[in-house]
Amino acid sequence: MQPPPSARDILVLAQIVDLVRAGVAMTRPELEAATGLGRTVVNERLREGVELGVLAEVDAVPSGHRRGRPSRSVRFRTEAGLLLSAALGAVSLHAAVTDLAGNELARDFRDINVQDDPEAVLGAVHEVFGELVRRAGRTVPVWGIAVGVPGPVDVASGRTVAPPSMPGWDDYDVRSWFQRRWEAPVWVDNEVNLMALGEWERGVPRERRDLLYVKVATGIGSGLVTKGRLHRGDSGAAGDIGHVRVTDDRSARCRCGKIGCLEAVASGWALMRTLSKHAKSGESPLLAERLARRGRITAEDIGLATAAGDEVARSAVASSARLTGRTIAGVVNFANPGTLVLGGGVIRYSPLFFEEFRSAVLDGTIELAARNLTIRTASLNFAEGTIGGALLAAHNLFRPSALQIWLGAGTPVGSALCLQTAA
């Protein structure tokens, strides 16, 4: 009977798993060089990794000009488990199941209303997760879950904090809700943070420079990735630009209860409110016809109106884009990102918004900050939130300190994994 591994053995195994997973070392000699350990120790830890099911050895393909036994390489078994990821917007749910490297196996989209009771909304997410696992067709356990919500989150506790657009969600324990049902670790974050991480890691082009992601949809938010890590600030509130005050107009009342927020005058819901008034007055015949037909104006209607040359719609969209761009220019001057990405539903319905947004950013940015700045639209077909969620879960799950916990328990599944650490 093998003696239980020592604390040092577990630390070394965690280091080896991390090196293999990151692609830094893929053979025994490379692992020996990277760790500074001898062949016997590396071989023993590799054996343990294979027995745990997280590592596998494969024969390298012979080169043709070399004789003898081909060298063997080590790989991380991305197929050993599943990750679940969901990005909740004000009226949308994107969900996906991936392997342990964040490669998508199945995904789904549904319309929701985040203002509904938290139990109903999270119940819908849970239902989608179950369907996605079945569609993935793999009989391996779920190792981790990431959930993004459209409001402030205390990342350390996994609870929402007074979200302006989510009545009834204040101090709601999202993490525990999912842990009770899946018995896996859960990471909860603002959805735009997940989108920023997804674009930084998998976006096209893959520049890997500091990245500022701006989402303009029903609301407005942003996320900043610096040196590959999300910037959350001291209490997790970083990026909430939708509530920057941009006007003293008393009629510009925001959903948060304050006056003059950017979101109150430039977001999707603000645009629909403004253009609904123009439709009712008959100033926009196209939108008036849409309003009469369905009783409301949608983002798609606004896009059709701007594409058709409706001057009322184009003026409102351009004004919203310029105000958002001027606000973001101040963030660019302060944070100096290399890449600025505009995402959210606004880019789906109006190319005009991006054109005006980009122009306003450049007009308001100092020369040094703008010199090498890339400004582009989101590139992952609205999957950046679920991709970022899966990557967040994987990063936390396979940190060396976390690896020590589950390797010490002898399994990567169960209560040993129910931990939470910010990326």
Side-chain angles (χ1 to χ4, degrees):
M1 181 177 179
Q2 291 283 345
S6 67
R8 174 167 173 74
D9 290 342
I10 294 171
L11 178 61
V12 172
L13 176 54
Q15 183 183 10
I16 287 175
V17 171
D18 193 49
L19 288 167
V20 173
R21 188 182 72 87
V24 174
M26 307 296 290
T27 66
R28 279 180 165 80
E30 288 173 350
L31 287 167
E32 291 167 19
T35 61
L37 299 170
R39 179 180 302 177
T40 301
V41 174
V42 168
N43 287 345
E44 184 63 20
R45 300 291 83 77
L46 279 177
R47 179 188 62 78
E48 292 169 351
V50 171
E51 290 176 353
L52 280 170
V54 294
L55 299 178
E57 288 195 272
V58 294
D59 289 330
V61 178
S63 62
H65 64 275
R66 296 178 61 184
R67 295 184 178 182
R69 182 180 179 182
S71 60
R72 293 171 64 81
S73 61
V74 184
R75 70 175 183 87
F76 179 71
R77 295 186 67 243
T78 60
E79 72 277 16
L82 301 174
L83 300 174
L84 300 177
S85 180
L88 289 163
V91 294
S92 63
L93 163 61
H94 292 270
V97 58
T98 76
D99 64 15
L100 297 180
N103 299 310
E104 188 178 287
L105 303 175
R107 70 176 295 101
D108 202 352
F109 168 82
R110 294 190 183 182
D111 293 322
I112 62 164
N113 186 347
V114 80
Q115 294 191 5
D116 289 342
D117 179 75
E119 288 286 331
V121 175
L122 298 183
V125 178
H126 176 65
E127 179 184 339
V128 173
F129 278 167
E131 292 179 5
L132 288 173
V133 169
R134 288 190 289 274
R135 281 167 51 188
R138 296 190 178 183
T139 57
V140 292
V142 172
W143 282 23
I145 298 171
V147 179
V149 298
V153 175
D154 179 356
V155 174
S157 69
R159 292 175 176 269
T160 49
V161 182
S165 63
M166 303 166 69
W169 286 74
D170 185 28
D171 199 37
Y172 198 86
D173 191 347
V174 178
R175 183 203 302 165
S176 292
W177 196 97
F178 283 100
Q179 279 184 340
R180 289 193 300 269
R181 290 158 177 81
W182 291 92
E183 295 186 347
V186 180
W187 290 271
V188 185
D189 209 327
N190 180 273
E191 57 147 351
V192 188
N193 280 342
L194 301 187
M195 293 173 170
L197 187 60
E199 278 288 345
W200 186 86
E201 182 64 43
R202 301 280 172 88
V204 179
R206 194 181 183 189
E207 296 179 302
R208 306 304 289 267
R209 297 189 294 162
D210 288 1
L211 181 145
L212 175 64
Y213 183 101
V214 178
K215 179 187 178 184
V216 182
T218 303
I220 299 177
S222 69
L224 178 65
V225 180
T226 58
K227 302 295 185 290
R229 295 177 65 87
L230 283 167
H231 174 74
R232 295 193 179 90
D234 183 67
S235 59
D240 205 350
I241 58 160
H243 300 286
V244 171
R245 187 162 183 164
V246 296
T247 179
D248 291 326
D249 184 351
R250 302 296 297 179
S251 67
R253 180 169 293 277
C254 186
R255 294 180 297 178
C256 71
K258 295 184 179 180
I259 299 296
C261 296
L262 175 65
E263 191 170 294
V265 293
S267 66
W269 72 264
L271 268 175
M272 285 184 271
R273 179 191 59 197
T274 298
L275 289 173
S276 291
K277 292 179 181 177
H278 290 304
K280 290 176 182 177
S281 68
E283 296 173 77
S284 170
L286 189 155
L287 292 177
E289 184 272 330
R290 293 277 170 162
L291 180 63
R293 183 192 304 177
R294 288 187 296 202
R296 62 188 178 92
I297 296 296
T298 67
E300 182 181 4
D301 296 333
I302 296 173
L304 289 172
T306 57
D310 185 301
E311 287 305 319
V312 171
R314 290 182 67 85
S315 176
V317 168
S319 176
S320 172
R322 286 194 295 269
L323 183 54
T324 305
R326 287 198 296 269
T327 305
I328 292 301
V331 181
V332 171
N333 287 335
F334 175 77
N336 190 204
T339 304
L340 171 60
V341 178
L342 177 66
V346 68
I347 64 170
R348 187 193 297 268
Y349 69 73
S350 179
L352 173 65
F353 194 102
F354 176 72
E355 296 165 9
E356 295 289 344
F357 170 84
R358 183 179 187 279
S359 177
V361 169
L362 293 176
D363 284 347
T365 306
I366 63 172
E367 181 182 350
L368 184 58
R371 182 176 297 171
N372 297 311
L373 178 66
T374 297
I375 306 177
R376 62 173 176 82
T377 56
S379 63
L380 297 173
N381 195 28
F382 297 92
E384 59 266 32
T386 54
I387 290 172
L391 295 173
L392 178 71
H395 173 81
N396 280 291
L397 196 61
F398 301 116
R399 288 174 298 108
S401 56
L403 284 167
Q404 291 178 64
I405 295 174
W406 60 258
L407 291 173
T411 172
V413 182
S415 60
L417 278 175
C418 289
L419 47 93
Q420 171 83 18
T421 304

